[in-house]
Amino acid sequence: MTVTAVEAQRAPAGRGRARARSARRQAVLALPAVGVVALLLAGWQLYADLGDVDVTILPSPSRVVSAGWDARDVLWANTLATLRATLLGFAFSLTVGFALSVLIDLSGILRRALMPPLIISQTLPIIAIAPLVVIWFGFGLTPKILLVALVTFFAITVALVQGYQAAEPEAEQLLRSMGASRLRVFRMVRLPTAMPYFFAGLRISITYAVVGAIFAEYAGATEGLGIFMQNAKNAFRTDLVLAAVFVSATLTLALFAVTILAERLLIPWTRVARGGERPA
Amino acid sequence: MSVPRLEIRGLSKSFGDLEVLRDLRLRADRGEFVSILGPSGSGKSTTFSILTGAVAADGGEVLVDGRPLEQADHAPFAFMPQKDVLLPWRRIEANLTLGLEVQGVSKAEARRRVRPLVARFGLAGFERHYPAQLSGGMRQRAALLRTVVQEREVLLLDEPFGALDALTRTEMQRWLEAMWERDRWTVLLITHDVREAVFLSDRIYVLSPRPATVIREVEVPLPRPRTLETLADPRAARIEAELLESLLGDRAPAA
């Protein structure tokens, strides 16, 4: 055990080098995907240039980039609007998703009462619901928040409920033997157990969030990428539509990266359990 | 005779048609190391579940220092389950203070109380580690420290070394014996390891198969401190043989 103690003290010195090595390895692992995307873009560019295609039907990637760059001010303003709707909607979704998971975990009756309507909520076609929600709640933020929440809360709730159930009965018995209340057992055992599950659900639902916001804007809004796309389409500016598509994809990727980062910061013990780096 | 620290009188429990405990009686005096030895599935763990309040008994009484368990103003037992159940998201230090935290002791005060025990339990330098980074023996020592530091009247140890390899287990038994020599906790140990029971105990209760009841009570008058040589003592061998006989009874060896 003294050997391990020495190792632990030595670890910080070697950590920088290990991190650089792992970054290089990750870059190499990403090469095939980068290659495929580059190949597709190159094929698209050649086809648009040489195939004499109408730019209102299929503009080349370079044209999409330059059109997007020229419209960067208005694109940026609309991106911010969409980002705001996405984040507010997702925050609402997290709150509701967590509250529902707690209620479901609380009792079998609540579980049987709540699960069927929640599942039904996921069968509704968003394309039909979105315009209705706009009719009911207007062109402001409210319908966007509701629609983002509708498409994202379910994965979060299901992941949390499953996570609570993964708690070790022995750990719960131990805490009860110490005199812990049910609320305390939930807070100290069930909730932390559910965290890795929660982040798995979060990764799924965040990829729906931006799309949900754009859908809501498409159905009616004064600003945002959704309404920007619709206006560009109506003006036959296919290049600007695609530029907005590119921006929304980038937005989703950025939010996805944030969830990965949050997971690393908030549940470091899972990496330890998998034999990852030593904690400080 | 003085009032025993723990007395269990006529405890009974059934789960549906399955009778698990029948008129179980045992006692442990202050500072006594008592083992409960029994075949697998004989209701040993159910007994502990009743003591910790996880399961309600059908009948019988549990007295601590002569007072019924229901009248106690705090849980008089510190429980150590079979699995170490160190919480993987808490660093070792935070795992050690868990019981005190639940009792409502402040974090700073809990750390202060844990600190002097850390070195004695061979965990110095590992306070900031996560449980996954510790060996099986260390995890078990951490689990015992977490149990002991709660300063309850009786320690309930449920096969604490069952999951360890044979060598580590022997090492842990010697270590536990040495720790007990110093602190003289009142211990109730569940085990099905006859040698472990003889090595550690002052007294051993042998339980029958389900429904469990005490079929034998054996004193272990071996001198302390006990060492590996204790096990070579002919008296120890005789007690071991006696215990094995009552455990296996007249059951013929399986063909």
Side-chain angles (χ1 to χ4, degrees):
Chain A
M1 79 184 127
T2 32
V3 177
T4 328
V6 171
E7 267 171 34
Q9 280 163 2
R10 204 187 286 151
R15 201 181 292 160
R17 236 175 307 143
R19 188 165 289 168
R21 202 164 46 235
S22 108
R24 250 200 320 277
R25 199 169 48 229
Q26 301 235 322
V28 171
L29 286 176
L31 269 182
V34 172
V36 168
V37 171
L39 217 61
L40 283 171
L41 284 175
W44 175 4
Q45 180 79 38
L46 283 175
Y47 179 73
D49 284 348
L50 306 176
D52 192 25
V53 190
D54 186 343
V55 291
T56 62
I57 293 178
L58 186 68
S60 69
S62 61
R63 190 185 164 106
V64 169
V65 170
S66 69
W69 181 252
D70 290 342
R72 61 185 178 279
D73 288 344
V74 60
L75 205 49
W76 178 242
N78 284 301
T79 302
L80 282 184
T82 300
L83 184 62
R84 189 187 319 127
T86 304
L87 292 181
L88 286 173
F90 205 66
F92 182 60
S93 171
L94 283 175
T95 314
V96 172
F98 174 70
L100 285 171
S101 75
V102 174
L103 289 176
I104 289 169
D105 193 56
L106 213 56
S107 84
I109 294 174
L110 279 173
R111 180 194 190 85
R112 284 193 299 279
L114 289 174
M115 270 323 262
L118 293 186
I119 292 169
I120 289 169
S121 79
Q122 298 306 296
T123 64
L124 306 176
I126 294 295
I127 200 159
I129 293 295
L132 291 179
V133 176
V134 172
I135 290 172
W136 297 332
F137 295 98
F139 292 98
L141 266 174
T142 315
K144 289 158 200 106
I145 289 173
L146 289 176
L147 281 167
V148 170
L150 178 65
V151 296
T152 56
F153 84 93
F154 192 68
I156 292 168
T157 301
V158 170
L160 279 170
V161 168
Q162 202 182 350
Y164 300 147
Q165 288 167 353
E168 279 189 284
E170 292 90 346
E172 294 188 25
Q173 196 198 344
L174 175 71
L175 262 94
R176 300 300 296 229
S177 83
M178 292 168 169
S181 64
R182 198 173 162 200
L183 177 67
R184 189 141 207 166
V185 172
F186 179 82
R187 207 162 46 79
M188 290 178 111
V189 177
R190 291 179 85 79
L191 192 57
T193 305
M195 278 303 108
Y197 294 78
F198 166 72
F199 277 104
L202 194 66
R203 281 202 299 271
I204 294 171
S205 65
I206 196 80
T207 60
Y208 295 142
V210 176
V211 178
I214 288 176
F215 239 117
E217 290 163 356
Y218 213 85
T222 50
E223 53 177 354
L225 286 173
I227 199 73
F228 177 89
M229 285 178 197
Q230 201 176 35
N231 290 337
K233 189 200 75 177
N234 291 342
F236 298 102
R237 288 298 303 272
T238 314
D239 48 356
L240 284 179
V241 174
L242 289 170
V245 167
F246 175 77
V247 169
S248 89
T250 308
L251 204 55
T252 296
L253 285 177
L255 292 175
F256 190 81
V258 170
T259 63
I260 302 266
L261 200 68
E263 183 173 1
R264 289 196 172 196
L265 290 175
L266 295 177
I267 54 169
W269 69 87
T270 53
R271 276 148 53 78
V272 172
R274 277 177 301 186
E277 74 180 64
R278 282 175 179 282
Chain B
M1 208 192 303
S2 64
V3 179
R5 174 124 266 194
L6 169 68
E7 187 171 9
I8 296 176
R9 286 188 194 156
L11 210 58
S12 64
K13 176 70 192 173
S14 299
F15 294 104
D17 290 339
L18 189 68
E19 193 181 6
V20 179
L21 300 178
R22 178 186 289 174
D23 192 27
L24 187 74
R25 290 165 187 280
L26 53 86
R27 51 174 281 163
D29 287 324
R30 186 182 284 261
E32 196 180 19
F33 199 119
V34 176
S35 290
I36 303 176
L37 196 60
S40 300
S42 64
K44 303 186 294 285
S45 293
T46 304
T47 309
F48 274 15
S49 295
I50 291 170
L51 295 180
T52 59
V55 167
D58 295 341
E61 256 190 314
V62 177
L63 302 175
V64 179
D65 293 326
R67 282 172 48 199
L69 187 55
E70 307 82 64
Q71 288 173 24
D73 52 355
H74 66 269
F77 303 110
F79 171 56
M80 177 175 174
Q82 271 175 46
K83 291 199 214 166
D84 56 60
V85 289
L86 296 171
L87 303 178
W89 49 86
R90 286 180 165 240
R91 294 176 194 272
I92 292 303
E93 185 175 50
N95 264 294
L96 299 180
T97 57
L98 187 69
L100 295 173
E101 269 179 60
V102 171
Q103 282 177 33
V105 176
S106 75
K107 262 186 194 159
E109 169 65 15
R111 283 206 197 117
R112 202 186 57 73
R113 282 202 226 165
V114 161
R115 206 163 295 138
L117 293 171
V118 168
R120 284 182 55 208
F121 279 68
L123 295 166
F126 290 88
E127 296 92 332
R128 303 293 295 161
H129 283 57
Y130 284 104
Q133 297 171 300
L134 266 56
S135 67
M138 291 183 82
R139 292 171 64 108
Q140 227 53 30
R141 287 201 296 271
L144 186 67
L145 198 164
R146 176 188 64 196
T147 315
V148 167
V149 77
Q150 296 175 46
E151 295 184 348
R152 300 303 200 189
E153 282 83 346
V154 183
L155 303 185
L156 304 178
L157 312 182
D158 187 354
E159 286 187 50
F161 309 135
L164 300 175
D165 64 89
L167 214 57
T168 312
R169 191 187 313 151
T170 308
E171 200 182 302
M172 291 295 291
Q173 287 160 357
R174 288 168 62 191
W175 172 81
L176 178 61
E177 207 277 336
M179 298 294 280
W180 182 86
E181 292 287 348
R182 208 181 121 164
D183 290 324
R184 298 277 166 161
W185 309 300
T186 309
V187 178
L188 205 54
L189 171 82
I190 285 179
T191 182
H192 50 226
D193 181 337
V194 172
R195 180 159 291 185
E196 176 171 291
V198 172
F199 183 69
L200 292 169
S201 312
D202 298 313
R203 214 142 41 77
I204 300 168
Y205 290 99
V206 180
L207 299 192
S208 65
R210 241 182 359 238
T213 192
V214 174
I215 50 173
R216 182 127 205 198
E217 187 183 336
V218 180
E219 300 273 344
V220 184
L222 299 171
R224 294 196 186 254
R226 294 178 184 165
T227 60
L228 286 180
E229 276 155 41
T230 312
L231 287 171
D233 190 313
R235 281 177 298 177
R238 199 156 47 236
I239 296 170
E240 263 187 57
E242 214 176 297
L243 290 168
L244 271 173
E245 198 181 83
S246 32
L247 271 174
L248 299 174
D250 48 7
R251 262 188 281 167

